[in-house]
């Protein structure tokens, strides 16, 4: 730095040297320049030169510091930018390495050694023999700090948790004595304590520079003040740095972290030092003490840093000067030991931070991993509707249909290419191909007909479609009436709008607006929300003499959900109690803020009775519509939405359809949801026949094959055949869905419903022949519970399955498992009616396996029993050599001689065996039909009694269905 030729302003100089103006004034005063502490005070080149001597190093340091910071910041930004791609240790380390030179840890021993002679020579140069007698005190002062340091180190650790006070307190408790001693010493020796060393706090990285500065040691004490002021800034800087470092360092490996640890520890020390020095009050009240204490604190802080500064300071300070002769090798060694010890102990701070950093790093890694997994998962998730065909599923997965068919075969299912698969099958098949499925509503899936995009030049402005919403009786219909100049409200039952109507009106200047009149009654909330979806703008009617009501809020929510702008019509302004401001305020609570209040919602104060304000309202509607640039292409095939459909006595099925794009013409073939048709006739809202209807035009349409639902999308297709095909597909899906919707849970349906996420509990009622079986069965079944489904045994009992069991099953959506028991006739009838799944078993493991398979969605063919018939034993004949012959009456099905039989007594199976002989009168027969009598003898079983039921069944290898169960029963 060379002095400038021109005088400079004090504030500029202060900012140049990065010190306070008062410090500069103080420094100058010490050098014999008396200047006023005013920002504009001129600093002459001579003064500047003096200042440069005093602060030159600071300035250089400051610049260097700033430069390092800038470099650091830029690297940090770079790293942040590249963080998402890849984080390399080298990258993240760079900024730290950049900063490492600021921490002259490695040079410490040399410096200590190097500094000592400097001090000595300096002292000698200063020639202060008076120092000798002071030695004992100095020693005391020198040694005392050690416990203090210890303490302050502990405090530092605490301080890491942002507790700053304790450190300061510690300093205050212990230091004053020393400080006082030192002050006394200083007073006695007439020395001025020097303070430059305090700069270490901020610029420890530049400590070497301070060595050079020792020539100025006796200068200006007032520097403290500057530092006090500036410290805060630096503290902030340090903290900033620390934060930044932490962010970055998180990503480093542990090795690097350890390496960098030193840097961090250094900072921790610095921070603490800064904080302690922050005892500005003391400084201000007792400058000398403050300085002394501060120096002590510095030492302590430095010690807690790494001890290196302490050594340096010692070498630089007056203290060290006083006792310079005693600074020998031994001392240095001792200090080094201390330093090392302190470094180790200060690791607690570092390690904690390191731990924190590591923790954060781990958290971040975990998060990233999770995200990656999610992405991967998303990629492998197929969104399908249930009952997708084999070929469509194959296409979705990007495989050949044959592969899907083969997979199904492997799973035990014979499927054709056009066969539709249920949820559980889809799940199994897709799993085989490494996909997960997410089932979408079939309704959602069937809406998808790809519509061609219009090119912008084909688009023409269209009428806005407006939905009037609002609370009941706030005047929606009246408003629309007034606009249409007709009296719709009068025609309605009870004056309440009962349907979704659509009307096209023209404003005075001939511009069209299409109004959908949606009911304000709560019961039609769902319809209203549909109205909002087909709507460009919502007119929210609120009666000025009333308030924002529940349906007003609902309307707001629907409009918002549909992303439809709201124009507020504050109605009934003609009424005496009208208070539009209140309404506006209330609406603001629901984020409908009128323009007047600085919001974006237009509002008009109207009266549907007098017509006041209605032209303004329409004007606002048109302004809003213009802003929205509503356009459509009238020169294309139409698509629209069904607003309402019904069967008209004369016309058949009629539907109110709003054309949304293109032009609908008589004769057009179309599909609307699962319905299709050809436009037979169209009428506008006045009942006039029209040949075509363009965008935003509502028409009443005839020609549907079935009644569409409000909200179904109508799309015109090239021919009726295509329309029919699509409609049929949709119908099939809907029908299959209906069909599969059993009233109650069945085992066959379980896996499907599990796949769709419809069930999470499998409730089971167990009936068995004996208690032992019940226990064994319920224990085994309960063990089948898994994450997806929990098996709950809600009732058990011995004996036949009764009507009450079935009713319980019905009430709790349970299945019934019968082990060696049968349902009573009544139970069967109720089970049939209630669609309760009753499963009958003779082997416990079969029961367990079947439930398990159902839960797992196993589709392999099962060996099952099919009941062929039941015969009731009415008489017993004992024939010698032959055994017991049961005279039976076939009550249902037929008895087949070759099929096995069971003997059931009081609903409990007592024997399982084969028919020995089946006779009609004296003739052996192969089978006996229902309603006939027959004689049955059973191989090796003679204990038949009147009243027993002989159950004839066959073993079939197929998947069982609800029907089978019913047949069985
Ligand atoms: N004084 C006055 N009465 C009005 C005004 N607008 C509507 N009304 C009356 O308020 C009552 C309700 O009007 P509607 O138009 O049926 O209200 P709505 O909101 O359509 O009601 P719903 O169809 O039941 O949902 C009727 O008796 C109207 O005559 C108005 O601006 N001023």
């Amino acid at each position: 730095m060379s002095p400038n030729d021109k005088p400079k302003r004090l504030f500029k100089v202060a900012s140049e040297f990065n010190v306070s103006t008062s410090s500069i004034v103080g420094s100058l005063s010490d050098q014999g320049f008396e200047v006023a502490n005013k920002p504009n005070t001129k600093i002459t080149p001579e003064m500047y030169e003096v200042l440069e001597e005093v602060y030159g190093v600071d300035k250089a340091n400051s610049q260097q510091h700033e430069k390092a910071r800038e470099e650091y910041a830029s690297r940090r930004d770079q790293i942040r930018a590249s963080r998402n791609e890849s984080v390399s240790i080298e990258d993240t380390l760079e900024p730290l390495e950049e900063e490492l030179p600021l921490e002259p840890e490695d040079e410490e021993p040399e410096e200590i050694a190097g500094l000592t002679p400097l001090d000595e020579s300096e002292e000698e140069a200063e020639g202060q023999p008076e120092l000798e007698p002071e030695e004992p005190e100095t020693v005391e002062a020198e040694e005392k700090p050690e416990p203090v340091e210890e303490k302050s180190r502990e405090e530092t650790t605490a301080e890491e948790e942002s507790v700053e006070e304790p450190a300061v307190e510690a300093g205050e408790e212990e230091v004053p004595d020393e400080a006082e001693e030192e002050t006394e010493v200083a007073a006695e020796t007439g020395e001025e304590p020097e303070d430059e060393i305090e700069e270490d706090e901020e610029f420890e990285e530049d400590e070497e520079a301070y060595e050079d500065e020792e020539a100025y040691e006796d200068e200006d004490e007032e520097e403290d003040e500057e530092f006090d002021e500036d410290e805060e800034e630096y503290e902030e800087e340090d903290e900033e740095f620390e934060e930044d470092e932490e962010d970055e360092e998180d990503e480093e490996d542990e090795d690097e972290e350890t390496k960098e640890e030193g840097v961090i520890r250094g900072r921790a020390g610095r921070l603490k030092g800064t904080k302690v020095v922050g005892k500005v009050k003391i400084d201000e009240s007792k400058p000398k003490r403050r300085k002394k204490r501060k120096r002590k604190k510095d030492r302590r802080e430095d010690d807690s840093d790494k001890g290196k500064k302490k050594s340096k300071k010692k070498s630089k300070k007056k203290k060290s000067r006083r006792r310079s002769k005693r600074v020998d090798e031994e001392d240095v060694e001792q200090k080094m030991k201390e330093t090392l010890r302190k470094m180790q102990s200060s690791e607690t701070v570092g390690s904690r931070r390191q731990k924190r950093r590591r923790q954060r790093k781990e958290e971040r890694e975990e998060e990233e991993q999770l995200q990656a997994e999610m992405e991967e998962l998303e990629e492998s998730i197929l969104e399908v509707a249930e009952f997708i065909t084999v070929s469509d599923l194959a296409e979705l997965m990007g495989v050949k249909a044959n592969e899907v068919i083969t997979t199904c075969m492997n799973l035990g299912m014979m499927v054709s290419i056009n066969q539709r698969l249920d949820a559980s099958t889809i799940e199994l098949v897709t799993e085989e191909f490494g996909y997960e499925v997410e089932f979408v509503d079939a309704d959602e899936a069937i809406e998808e007909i790809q519509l061609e995009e219009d090119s912008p030049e084909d688009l023409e402005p269209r009428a806005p479609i407006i939905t009037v919403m609002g609370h009941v009786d706030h005047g929606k219909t009246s408003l629309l009436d007034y606009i249409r100049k007709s009296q719709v409200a009068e025609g309605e039952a009870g004056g309440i709008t009962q349907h979704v109507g659509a009307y096209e009106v023209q404003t005075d200047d001939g511009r069209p607006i299409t109004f959908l009149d949606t009911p304000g009654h709560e019961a039609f909330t769902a319809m209203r929300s549909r109205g909002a979806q087909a709507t460009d703008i919502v007119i929210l009617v609120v009666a000025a003499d009333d308030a924002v009501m529940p349906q007003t809020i609902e309307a707001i929510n629907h409009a918002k959900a549909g992303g439809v702008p709201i124009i507020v019509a504050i109605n009934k302004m003609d009424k005496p109690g009208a208070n539009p401001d209140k309404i506006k305020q209330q609406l603001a609570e629901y984020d409908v803020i009128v323009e007047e209040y600085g919001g974006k919602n237009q509002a008009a104060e109207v009266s549907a009775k007098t017509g006041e304000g209605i032209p303004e309202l329409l004007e606002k509607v048109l302004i809003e519509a213009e802003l929205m640039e509503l356009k459509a292409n009238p020169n294309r095939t139409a698509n629209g939405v069904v607003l309402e459909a019904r069967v008209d006595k004369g016309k058949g099925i009629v539907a109110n359809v709003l054309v949304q794009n293109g032009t609908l013409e008589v004769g057009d073939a179309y599909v609307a949801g699962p319905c299709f048709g050809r436009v037979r006739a169209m009428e506008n809202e006045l009942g006039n026949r029209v040949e075509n209807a363009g965008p935003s035009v509502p028409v009443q349409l005839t020609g549907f094959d079935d009644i569409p639902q409000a909200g179904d999308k109508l799309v015109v297709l090239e021919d009726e055949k295509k329309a029919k095909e699509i409609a049929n597909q949709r119908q099939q899906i809907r029908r299959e869905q209906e069909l599969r919707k059993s009233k109650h849970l069945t085992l066959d349906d379980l896996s499907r419903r599990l796949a769709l996420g419809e069930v999470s509990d499998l409730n089971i009622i167990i009936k068995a022949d004996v208690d032992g079986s019940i226990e064994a069965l319920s224990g085994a079944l309960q063990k089948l519970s898994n994450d997806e489904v929990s098996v709950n045994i809600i009732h058990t009992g011995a004996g036949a399955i009764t009507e009450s069991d079935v009713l319980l099953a019905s009430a709790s959506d349970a299945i019934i498992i019968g082990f060696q028991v049968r349902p009573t006739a009544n139970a069967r009838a109720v089970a049939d009616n209630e669609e309760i799944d009753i499963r009958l078993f003779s082997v416990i493991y079969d029961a367990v396996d079947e439930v398990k398979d159902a839960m797992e969605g196993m589709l392999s063919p099962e060996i099952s029993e099919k009941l062929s018939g039941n015969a009731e034993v009415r008489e017993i004949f004992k024939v010698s050599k032959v055994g017991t012959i049961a005279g039976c009456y076939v009550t249902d099905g037929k008895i087949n001689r070759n099929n096995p039989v069971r003997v059931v007594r009081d609903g409990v199976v007592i024997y399982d065996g084969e028919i020995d002989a089946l006779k009609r009168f004296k003739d052996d027969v192969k089978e006996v039909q229902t309603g006939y009598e027959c004689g049955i003898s059973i191989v090796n079983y003679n204990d038949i009694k009147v009243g027993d039921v002989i159950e004839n069944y066959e073993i079939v290898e197929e998947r069982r269905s609800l029907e089978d169960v019913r047949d069985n029963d």
Side-chain angles (χ1 to χ4, degrees):
M1 271 281 161
S2 63
N4 290 351
D5 300 323
K6 289 181 191 168
K8 287 191 165 189
R9 303 282 178 196
L10 175 58
F11 74 93
K12 281 203 166 180
V13 175
S15 95
E16 224 178 290
F17 288 109
N18 205 15
V19 294
S20 70
T21 51
S22 60
S23 297
I24 289 182
V25 172
S27 300
L28 289 174
S29 149
D30 287 345
Q31 297 297 320
F33 296 102
E34 286 304 328
V35 291
N37 187 4
K38 287 183 182 165
N40 286 327
T41 301
K42 286 182 180 169
I43 304 294
T44 61
E46 298 84 64
M47 294 180 193
Y48 192 93
E49 210 171 317
V50 167
L51 289 172
E52 202 164 36
E53 274 175 15
V54 177
Y55 299 115
V57 175
D58 290 6
K59 193 175 164 184
N61 287 345
S62 170
Q63 281 167 351
Q64 203 179 331
H65 189 67
E66 200 54 43
K67 203 176 147 206
R69 235 183 103 176
E70 274 166 23
E71 276 174 15
Y72 179 82
S74 84
R75 279 168 199 279
R76 180 188 58 196
D77 292 345
Q78 267 174 26
I79 290 164
R80 277 190 182 150
S82 65
R83 184 169 284 171
N84 288 340
E85 295 148 29
S86 67
V87 181
S88 81
I89 290 159
E90 288 72 30
D91 286 348
T92 46
L93 263 180
E94 266 176 22
L96 296 168
E97 282 165 2
E98 203 63 36
E99 290 225 327
L100 279 173
L102 301 177
E103 309 284 328
E105 289 173 332
D106 299 337
E107 293 155 32
E108 193 176 7
E110 287 80 14
E111 278 185 33
I112 294 164
L115 279 169
T116 314
L118 260 179
D119 285 349
E120 282 172 348
S121 64
E122 184 206 342
E123 279 169 21
E124 275 163 23
E126 287 180 13
Q128 292 182 342
E130 302 92 333
L131 276 177
E132 291 296 334
E134 306 290 337
E135 262 189 28
E137 281 184 48
T138 315
V139 169
E140 203 184 312
E142 196 48 45
E143 283 168 4
K144 255 193 173 177
E146 285 175 24
V148 176
E149 283 157 12
E150 284 294 323
K151 181 157 188 175
S152 85
R153 249 195 341 269
E154 284 161 28
E155 298 295 345
T156 311
T157 316
E159 206 181 348
E160 277 305 303
E161 306 300 320
S162 85
V163 183
E164 296 179 12
E165 293 312 313
V168 176
E169 279 163 24
E172 280 173 348
E173 274 169 30
E174 307 250 356
V175 176
D177 296 338
E178 307 166 45
E180 227 148 354
E181 282 171 72
E182 277 205 349
T183 315
E184 281 160 22
V185 172
E188 279 168 33
T189 54
E191 265 186 19
E192 284 285 340
E194 48 302 294
D195 298 300
E196 305 85 286
I197 9 124
E198 286 165 21
E199 290 171 6
D200 287 356
E201 285 172 14
E202 297 98 27
F203 300 116
E204 58 178 293
E205 67 270 34
D206 297 310
E207 276 169 26
E208 304 93 309
Y210 285 91
E211 292 168 20
D212 302 329
E213 248 194 304
E214 288 184 307
Y216 307 109
E217 266 184 51
D218 291 327
E219 288 176 17
D220 178 34
E221 300 169 19
E222 300 305 314
E223 272 180 19
D224 284 2
E225 283 171 23
E226 303 157 30
F227 287 121
D228 287 346
E229 282 170 26
D230 294 335
E231 265 156 20
E232 279 176 31
E233 282 172 36
Y234 284 113
E235 194 179 341
E236 276 170 31
E237 273 179 26
D238 280 347
E239 280 171 6
E240 224 177 278
F241 269 68
E242 245 182 32
E243 273 172 36
D244 291 340
E245 274 174 6
E246 275 183 36
D247 284 344
E248 303 223 359
E249 286 158 15
D250 283 351
E251 300 183 17
E252 294 176 14
D253 283 355
E254 264 184 57
D255 288 350
E256 266 83 15
E257 281 179 7
T258 320
K259 184 178 167 190
E260 146 228 302
E261 187 83 72
V263 180
I264 297 293
R265 278 203 302 276
R267 292 239 154 66
R270 256 178 288 157
L271 269 177
K272 178 185 141 245
T274 315
K275 284 161 193 164
V276 178
V277 173
K279 288 184 291 175
V280 174
K281 285 171 202 160
I282 301 164
D283 290 349
E284 279 166 2
S285 55
K286 303 171 188 172
K288 287 205 171 184
R289 273 192 179 196
R290 171 183 55 82
K291 273 176 246 159
K292 287 238 170 200
R293 213 163 65 193
K294 212 172 165 184
R295 265 210 321 272
K296 293 245 174 195
K297 271 179 262 157
D298 286 348
R299 283 203 302 276
R300 282 201 317 275
E301 288 145 18
D302 292 342
D303 284 345
S304 70
D305 277 356
K306 277 150 226 146
K308 64 191 170 190
K309 277 190 278 174
K310 180 184 172 189
S311 315
K312 278 188 220 161
K313 275 183 223 163
K314 260 187 285 162
S315 70
K316 286 187 273 173
K317 288 180 186 178
K318 176 189 74 185
K319 232 184 296 161
S320 53
R321 207 165 53 218
R322 278 184 224 137
R323 59 179 189 96
S324 60
K325 283 173 186 163
R326 296 187 308 109
V327 179
D328 52 14
E329 285 293 308
E330 204 181 291
D331 200 1
V332 169
E333 205 172 287
Q334 194 193 339
K335 290 295 163 195
M336 276 183 70
K337 275 182 190 167
E338 264 174 40
T339 304
L340 280 169
R341 186 165 46 81
K342 284 161 195 167
M343 278 173 77
Q344 274 168 5
S345 64
S346 70
E347 261 176 29
T348 50
V349 177
S351 60
R352 193 178 310 167
R353 188 175 304 161
Q354 192 182 358
K355 202 174 152 194
R356 210 168 53 211
R357 235 181 283 131
R358 206 177 303 139
Q359 209 174 330
R360 272 196 236 156
K361 185 184 164 194
E362 277 168 15
E363 275 171 18
R364 199 177 306 158
E365 274 174 2
E366 223 168 82
E367 210 173 282
E368 278 168 10
Q369 201 183 333
L370 208 74
Q371 209 175 335
E373 275 172 19
M374 289 290 284
E375 277 167 18
E376 212 171 279
L377 210 70
E378 269 169 29
E379 274 174 26
S380 66
I381 288 179
L382 286 183
E383 279 198 358
V384 295
E386 202 187 2
F387 308 121
I388 189 172
T389 61
V390 168
S391 62
D392 288 347
L393 184 63
E395 200 183 311
L396 257 183
M397 295 190 292
V399 298
K400 286 181 182 160
N402 277 349
E403 292 178 56
V404 174
I405 293 172
T406 315
T407 309
C408 287
M409 278 168 75
N410 291 339
L411 291 166
M413 276 180 306
M414 294 299 293
V415 294
S416 66
I417 192 161
N418 289 322
Q419 191 163 329
R420 293 182 182 278
L421 306 173
D422 71 7
S424 54
T425 315
I426 294 168
E427 214 178 34
L428 280 174
V429 173
T430 50
E431 201 177 287
E432 289 290 311
F433 287 93
Y435 288 97
E436 262 191 49
V437 279
E438 213 165 73
F439 290 99
V440 294
D441 197 354
D443 284 341
E444 272 174 46
I446 61 177
E447 299 296 352
E448 309 252 329
I449 292 179
Q450 291 299 323
L451 294 173
E452 258 178 58
E453 284 269 321
D454 289 305
S455 52
E457 61 270 18
D458 295 336
L459 295 172
E460 290 175 20
R462 65 169 173 84
I465 299 164
I466 313 299
T467 293
V468 179
M469 288 185 179
H471 194 69
V472 67
D473 279 350
H474 276 196
K476 301 179 293 294
T477 314
S478 305
L479 182 69
L480 212 55
D481 278 353
Y482 188 90
I483 293 168
R484 293 182 64 224
K485 308 264 192 285
S486 67
Q487 297 294 307
V488 174
E490 280 176 13
E492 288 173 16
I496 294 178
T497 313
Q498 296 280 358
H499 66 278
V500 176
Y503 318 97
E504 196 186 49
V505 299
Q506 305 244 321
T507 55
D508 294 343
D509 55 5
R511 286 186 285 174
I513 301 176
T514 302
F515 280 91
L516 305 180
D517 182 19
T518 56
H521 197 274
E522 225 161 2
F524 298 111
T525 301
M527 237 200 240
R528 191 165 61 231
S529 73
R530 216 173 278 134
Q533 278 158 18
T535 296
D536 299 316
I537 298 164
V538 161
I539 291 184
L540 181 68
V541 178
V542 192
D545 64 336
D546 200 352
V548 168
M549 300 297 279
Q551 285 162 348
T552 320
I553 299 162
E554 270 179 26
I556 292 170
N557 292 339
H558 283 306
K560 280 187 183 163
V564 182
I566 296 172
I567 295 178
V568 181
I570 300 177
N571 192 28
K572 305 196 186 182
M573 283 301 290
D574 58 298
K575 282 198 158 184
N579 186 355
D581 287 337
K582 185 185 95 182
I583 303 295
K584 288 173 193 170
Q585 275 164 20
Q586 287 180 344
L587 285 171
E589 285 173 33
Y590 300 94
D591 214 18
V592 176
I593 304 161
V594 298
E595 282 179 335
E596 195 184 315
Y597 287 10
K600 58 181 182 348
N601 295 95
Q602 300 194 76
E605 291 169 15
V606 302
S607 166
K609 198 174 174 185
T610 65
E612 171 200 339
I614 289 179
E616 287 79 12
L617 174 68
L618 295 182
E619 191 58 37
K620 287 179 177 181
V621 166
L622 287 172
I623 291 169
E624 193 74 44
E626 261 171 45
L627 289 172
M628 293 170 80
E629 291 183 8
L630 302 169
K631 286 180 178 173
N633 175 13
N635 304 312
R636 60 169 288 165
T637 53
N639 64 73
V641 61
V642 174
L643 299 173
E644 185 205 31
R646 65 196 156 88
V647 182
D648 185 279
K649 269 184 191 165
K651 300 174 189 161
I653 297 166
V654 292
N656 287 338
V657 172
L658 178 71
V659 179
Q660 290 176 309
N661 199 10
T663 298
L664 186 62
E665 292 177 0
V666 171
D668 277 348
Y670 60 83
V671 62
C675 310
F676 75 99
R678 184 177 284 279
V679 182
R680 219 186 301 150
M682 281 192 291
E683 287 176 9
N684 63 14
E685 76 270 18
L686 300 170
N688 299 329
R689 282 201 162 213
V690 288
E691 288 299 308
N692 51 54
S696 301
V697 174
V699 281
Q700 196 178 71
L701 207 70
T702 53
F704 284 87
D705 73 317
D706 204 348
I707 307 173
Q709 283 181 351
D712 276 344
K713 282 199 172 149
L714 180 138
V715 179
V716 170
L717 296 164
E718 58 265 38
D719 56 54
E720 204 173 342
K721 197 175 150 223
K722 178 85 181 154
K724 190 176 178 181
E725 200 179 292
I726 294 174
N728 279 347
Q729 276 176 11
R730 292 174 174 182
Q731 273 171 15
Q732 200 178 340
I733 290 174
R734 283 200 180 168
R735 231 178 283 134
E736 285 210 52
Q737 271 186 325
E738 286 302 310
L739 209 82
R740 303 275 181 149
K741 262 186 205 159
S742 52
K743 234 158 125 191
H744 289 289
L745 185 65
T746 66
L747 274 192
D748 286 328
D749 203 26
L750 178 65
S751 64
R752 180 183 158 261
R753 286 170 71 169
L754 280 176
L756 288 173
E758 286 178 2
V759 289
S760 58
D761 288 294
L762 172 60
N763 294 336
I764 296 177
I765 291 171
I766 298 173
K767 292 302 290 270
D769 51 352
V770 289
D771 284 343
S773 312
I774 295 168
E775 271 170 38
L777 199 53
S778 60
L781 288 173
Q782 259 165 342
K783 277 187 202 149
L784 295 177
S785 290
N786 58 30
D787 292 346
E788 250 190 350
V789 61
S790 74
V791 177
N792 310 318
I793 311 295
I794 58 163
H795 174 67
T796 59
I801 296 160
T802 62
E803 194 182 332
S804 85
D805 294 329
V806 177
L807 290 174
L808 177 63
S810 171
S812 49
D813 203 9
I815 63 160
I816 298 174
I817 288 182
F819 178 72
Q820 293 289 63
V821 291
R822 294 292 177 268
T824 62
N826 269 353
R828 262 184 224 150
V830 179
D832 256 5
N833 200 33
E834 294 288 315
E835 295 181 10
I836 298 298
D837 192 0
I838 297 179
R839 300 275 168 147
L840 305 172
F841 299 96
S842 304
V843 179
I844 286 183
Y845 295 115
D846 285 350
V848 177
D849 283 351
E850 194 157 321
V851 174
K852 194 171 161 217
D853 288 353
M855 283 167 66
E856 288 171 0
M858 296 297 289
L859 300 165
S860 52
E862 292 170 36
I863 295 173
S864 61
E865 289 177 15
K866 191 175 178 212
L867 187 79
S868 1
N870 280 316
E872 200 181 293
V873 179
R874 296 196 164 166
E875 255 180 285
I876 298 292
F877 306 96
K878 302 256 182 194
V879 180
S880 56
K881 286 184 189 168
V882 179
T884 305
I885 292 173
C888 302
Y889 176 78
V890 181
T891 52
D892 59 78
K894 58 188 179 189
I895 303 295
N896 190 315
R897 197 201 166 286
N898 295 322
N899 285 345
V901 285
R902 282 196 191 97
V903 179
V904 180
R905 188 173 297 159
D906 298 329
V908 176
V909 177
I910 53 168
Y911 188 74
D912 200 336
E914 282 168 18
I915 294 177
D916 189 17
L918 178 65
K919 290 181 188 274
R920 279 278 293 152
F921 303 105
K922 287 190 175 171
D923 301 329
D924 280 319
V925 287
K926 261 182 106 179
E927 58 177 44
V928 181
Q929 297 289 340
T930 310
Y932 291 95
E933 289 180 337
C934 61
I936 301 173
S937 63
I938 297 170
V939 178
N940 296 331
Y941 190 73
N942 294 316
D943 189 24
I944 303 174
K945 287 184 181 162
V946 173
D948 288 350
V949 172
I950 294 176
E951 188 183 270
N952 189 221
Y953 64 96
E954 61 182 317
I955 306 285
V956 285
E957 204 174 278
E958 64 173 35
R959 202 163 171 230
R960 298 214 290 195
S961 69
L962 192 67
E963 283 68 34
D964 297 327
V965 175
R966 287 192 207 126
D967 291 345
N968 282 341
D969 300 337

